[in-house]
Amino acid sequence: MTDAIVSCRGVSKIFGSGELAVHALREVDLDILSGDFATLAGPSGSGKTTLLNMIGALDTPSSGHVVIDGQDLGSLSKAQLSDLRLNKVGFVFQAYNLIPVLSARENIEFVLELHGLERDERRQRATDILREVGLEGMEDRRPAQLSGGQQQRVAVARALVSRPRIVLADEPTANLDSKTTEELVRLMYRLNREMGTTFVIGTHDPRVMEHSKRHIELLDGRIASDERTG
Amino acid sequence: MMNTIRIFAPLAWRNLWRNPRRTLITLIVVSVGLWSVLAFNSFLNAWTQASKDTTLQLLLGQGQIHAAGYMDDPGVETLMPPPSDGLLKALGDKRISAWASRLVVPSVVQSEYKTLPVMIVGVDPKAERRVSSIPGKVVEGRYLNGPGDDGVVIGKHLAERLKTGLGRRVILMSQGADGLLAEQSFDVVGLYDVDQQTEDYYVFTGRAAGQKFLRLKDEIAEIVFTIPNDQDLAPVIRALKDAAPDMDVRSWKQLSPFLAATNSFMSGFIYIWLSVVFTLMAIGIVNTQLMAVFERTHEFGLLQALGMKPRLVLIMVTMESTLLIGLGVLIGMAMAAASIWATGDGIDLSGFARGLELVQGGQVLYPKFDAGSFVLFSLVIWILGIVVALWPARRASRCSPVEAMRMAT
């Protein structure tokens, strides 16, 4: 595939060794294409998080190859992996994971600071993206002053602000009520359509899967099914 | 690098106050530790200076000149003529604030009840007042009026031992210049009160009276001189040796090796204290910082997941330690400066006068603000604090982003 952002070939991940070895992933082949809005589903222990870690350059496979935007993870140092994550990948976590001592805007500006952007540009982009996710007027609030849904919106804004090739979200709605979940999923879906950002969402929430254009099912570390719905 | 500091310094500062209690504990550890080093250093310097001044001002001076052989066998055979020509000129050096010549010979003093060994010191009272504190320590009677005064001023404790006192007579015996016994009775005209050892050992009379008693002409035993500035001591001693090559010129450090050793030990002792304080501080800093890093493991992994390089995590955590220890150092410096300022009028230890006599300590200490040692010790504490805090910082930078993800989900 020429427009694959992430390409996994024969990816296996084994934790531990000997009799205690756990095969989290077994010979997984997967391509994530530009513009995908994919959900990664499966029961607990099926390997969703492990696969997301591979796709997000947070971990390297025990065997096989993961190539992100043309770069094989196996050949990169820790610092190069950090650079790759900074420039190509955005993360949204279940527990939001905002930096508690920074305001909503500062949390977003922090990523832009790592990119080396000047103050004015950082501020402008952070303000714009917060407006985009519906948090205008809440820029100076710290995470503790925001609701769970608002925090997750900040996390989405943080993941998107550096215009990554792919955004990975691991159970992003697990801590949210249905109304907030619906709003968040619509937001991600809209950003996917309007900005062309690729999303891979690890979830077993049917409300998220409803919007999915591609549904990947994992079972015992293997891809059980991979269907396109839109 | 400056850009990195600009980015992370505000974040590091805010992180410090996420756990105010822990931050305050570290601040207290660093500031009290540094305060103790700076205040103790100032107190030790004051103590050393007071002890040295007390001893040198008593009889020793900053240096003395004797005839060769006198120090090994003091007596009428090893005396010298009064200074003249080159030596007199050298003693006129502006770095020497005062000098006096003395006749000092071993003797025996006898009262109706007891006979004790002493040293007779024949002085020129006017010159002596400029080099010795003893003329000002007369507590009963008077000091000597002139070189020809044939009264004696003896120590208060010696008077008690001899069961004599003011207005009574004592007999001094020594070997005269002719080799025969010299013996004469002297009126006790004054009693002086310093340390017991000095009081027991030195009996003062007029220099000319002493020379007459020993059947001498104008011979003297020693020239004592004072040099206000310590840094001038060595060059002045060299100049005097050049001016009087046949004489025995010694600095106070050679004349009183015990005092010199005490002085040197006191200077070195602050470094022992510094190392003790720093060890305790290091344990405190490493413990609290390790705890902070442990609690924030998840966050450090997250920062790396967001694309922050491990090196930047190390810099950020080190910056937190740098700010924290730096603030503690500033507080410690302020506390020490305040303590020194508050005791600037002197710490009166006269209540411990008897004990201080034993260690030849001064009774009033004057702690002084020494900018050089303030900066030096503060920098040492700050830099060493940062160095030990690198260990927790390194642990933070080695957090795995995968672990963070795992903790997050």
Side-chain angles (χ1 to χ4, degrees):
Chain A
M1 283 274 181
T2 53
D3 57 351
I5 294 171
V6 179
S7 181
C8 302
R9 290 288 172 270
V11 170
S12 295
K13 183 69 180 179
I14 304 167
F15 294 107
S17 58
E19 289 180 8
L20 297 174
V22 175
H23 291 257
L25 292 176
R26 297 167 190 265
E27 299 286 330
V28 170
D29 292 325
L30 178 69
D31 286 313
I32 303 295
L33 306 184
S34 179
D36 265 352
F37 191 84
T39 49
L40 198 58
S44 265
S46 59
K48 294 192 300 290
T49 299
T50 307
L51 185 56
L52 280 173
N53 287 347
M54 300 290 164
I55 296 172
L58 287 170
D59 204 355
T60 49
S62 304
S63 63
H65 294 276
V66 177
V67 178
I68 300 176
D69 209 25
Q71 289 181 283
D72 189 335
L73 298 193
S75 64
L76 301 180
S77 66
K78 279 180 92 170
Q80 287 171 321
L81 286 171
S82 290
D83 273 340
L84 189 134
R85 288 193 294 271
L86 179 65
N87 294 310
K88 312 234 184 238
V89 188
F91 290 98
V92 179
F93 304 102
Q94 178 184 332
Y96 328 131
N97 285 329
L98 301 176
I99 300 170
V101 293
L102 300 182
S103 68
R105 182 176 14 230
E106 287 168 335
N107 261 282
I108 293 161
E109 280 193 52
F110 179 76
V111 176
L112 298 175
E113 281 181 339
L114 294 177
H115 278 276
L117 264 62
E118 288 302 316
R119 187 175 179 276
D120 290 345
E121 190 180 352
R122 288 198 316 259
R123 180 148 285 230
Q124 187 59 52
R125 279 174 67 170
T127 307
D128 289 347
I129 198 79
L130 281 170
R131 189 188 313 117
E132 194 71 32
V133 298
L135 290 175
E136 197 172 12
M138 299 184 183
E139 294 90 343
D140 296 324
R141 292 193 189 177
R142 289 200 180 179
Q145 297 167 308
L146 296 169
S147 69
Q150 288 167 336
Q151 286 189 58
Q152 198 60 298
R153 280 165 184 262
V154 177
V156 170
R158 181 178 65 183
L160 287 169
V161 74
S162 58
R163 294 163 191 159
R165 296 296 313 273
I166 185 167
V167 172
L168 304 174
D170 195 6
E171 305 280 6
T173 59
N175 292 339
L176 304 179
D177 59 36
S178 2
K179 183 168 174 283
T180 316
T181 296
E182 187 62 31
E183 285 172 2
L184 185 74
V185 174
R186 281 184 190 283
L187 169 69
M188 289 193 288
Y189 188 63
R190 180 168 63 80
L191 294 169
N192 169 255
R193 272 188 296 130
E194 291 175 3
M195 296 169 75
T197 310
T198 305
F199 278 84
V200 177
I201 306 167
T203 185
H204 40 63
D205 187 336
R207 293 164 300 184
V208 181
M209 289 183 220
E210 270 176 33
H211 293 82
S212 170
K213 290 192 278 189
R214 181 182 178 188
H215 183 70
I216 303 160
E217 188 80 24
L218 277 173
L219 190 64
D220 296 333
R222 289 196 174 86
I223 292 180
S225 66
D226 184 356
E227 295 170 9
R228 290 190 175 274
T229 55
Chain B
M1 188 64 187
M2 285 311 292
N3 200 38
T4 309
I5 291 172
R6 191 177 53 77
I7 291 171
F8 292 115
L11 182 60
W13 177 253
R14 287 190 206 177
N15 278 332
L16 285 184
W17 300 103
R18 286 166 73 169
N19 191 330
R21 193 173 158 191
R22 186 166 48 223
T23 297
L24 284 174
I25 288 172
T26 311
L27 281 178
I28 290 168
V29 167
V30 175
S31 56
V32 172
L34 180 64
W35 167 79
S36 77
V37 169
L38 294 177
F40 192 53
N41 180 52
S42 178
F43 181 82
L44 264 186
N45 283 342
W47 173 273
T48 308
Q49 191 63 42
S51 303
K52 192 177 120 191
D53 289 349
T54 301
T55 307
L56 298 192
Q57 285 164 10
L58 213 53
L59 278 170
L60 206 57
Q62 263 73 31
Q64 294 180 359
I65 304 169
H66 301 93
Y70 175 86
M71 292 299 284
D72 297 327
D73 182 18
V76 286
E77 295 93 350
T78 47
L79 300 180
M80 61 185 184
S84 60
D85 306 330
L87 180 56
L88 201 55
K89 194 177 166 194
L91 286 167
D93 189 317
K94 61 179 185 220
R95 292 171 294 185
I96 298 175
S97 59
W99 63 271
S101 54
R102 294 176 183 146
L103 174 67
V104 187
V105 290
S107 175
V108 168
V109 62
Q110 189 177 43
S111 69
E112 299 90 326
Y113 299 98
K114 207 173 249 182
T115 303
L116 294 167
V118 292
M119 292 294 272
I120 304 175
V121 186
V123 298
D124 171 353
K126 195 176 166 192
E128 191 67 13
R129 284 181 189 280
R130 294 203 300 266
V131 296
S132 168
S133 60
I134 289 179
K137 304 282 185 183
V138 173
V139 289
E140 284 182 53
R142 61 169 178 84
Y143 192 62
L144 302 161
N145 289 326
D149 191 334
D150 61 358
V152 287
V153 176
I154 67 173
K156 203 174 159 192
H157 192 253
L158 180 65
E160 286 167 14
R161 292 173 72 201
L162 290 170
K163 294 186 181 169
T164 188
L166 198 63
R168 309 267 297 266
R169 292 177 77 84
V170 290
I171 295 169
L172 288 171
M173 288 177 279
S174 185
Q175 183 188 329
D178 51 11
L180 300 172
L181 180 71
E183 184 180 15
Q184 187 180 317
S185 70
F186 290 81
D187 284 334
V188 177
V189 296
L191 301 179
Y192 67 91
D193 181 9
V194 290
D195 64 275
Q196 195 173 302
Q197 194 182 353
T198 305
E199 286 175 27
D200 281 350
Y201 203 52
Y202 294 99
V203 170
F204 296 87
T205 188
R207 191 181 61 216
Q211 286 161 339
K212 188 178 166 195
F213 161 56
L214 296 168
R215 298 187 280 278
L216 293 164
K217 291 177 184 160
D218 58 357
E219 293 92 331
I220 56 168
E222 71 186 23
I223 299 165
V224 59
F225 50 87
T226 56
I227 301 168
N229 191 343
D230 276 349
Q231 280 150 4
D232 293 335
L233 182 63
V236 168
I237 294 286
R238 268 199 304 276
L240 290 170
K241 278 181 176 172
D242 290 344
D246 298 333
M247 294 192 182
D248 185 2
V249 182
R250 297 188 187 192
S251 73
W252 65 268
K253 291 177 184 173
Q254 293 163 295
L255 293 164
S256 178
F258 176 74
L259 178 64
T262 307
N263 213 44
S264 164
F265 174 75
M266 286 293 197
S267 306
F269 189 73
I270 190 63
Y271 291 98
I272 297 170
W273 182 244
L274 180 69
S275 58
V276 169
V277 167
F278 180 72
T279 305
L280 295 174
M281 267 174 50
I283 292 168
I285 290 169
V286 168
N287 261 319
T288 49
Q289 291 302 89
L290 269 181
M291 190 74 81
V293 164
F294 178 73
E295 281 177 11
R296 290 163 61 199
T297 301
H298 165 74
E299 181 183 317
F300 296 130
L302 168 74
L303 292 172
Q304 291 190 51
L306 293 177
M308 196 165 164
K309 288 191 179 74
R311 183 179 59 86
L312 291 178
V313 174
L314 179 85
I315 289 173
M316 187 182 79
V317 179
T318 305
M319 210 175 281
E320 288 176 21
S321 307
T322 305
L323 285 171
L324 180 58
I325 299 165
L327 184 62
V329 162
L330 287 177
I331 295 171
M333 286 172 86
M335 283 162 60
S339 305
I340 293 167
W341 178 78
T343 55
D345 292 339
I347 302 170
D348 189 357
L349 301 178
S350 53
F352 309 101
R354 209 68 194 159
L356 289 169
E357 267 185 23
L358 295 173
V359 290
Q360 296 186 312
Q363 295 194 3
V364 182
L365 307 185
Y366 295 95
K368 281 182 191 157
F369 177 82
D370 174 10
S373 60
F374 250 64
V375 172
L376 174 70
F377 291 133
S378 300
L379 274 179
V380 166
I381 293 281
W382 194 32
I383 291 168
L384 289 180
I386 293 168
V387 169
V388 296
L390 279 175
W391 177 28
R394 190 161 171 269
R395 282 193 69 155
S397 71
R398 289 160 77 99
C399 288
S400 158
V402 179
E403 290 302 318
M405 286 282 279
R406 197 164 291 155
M407 288 168 76
T409 52

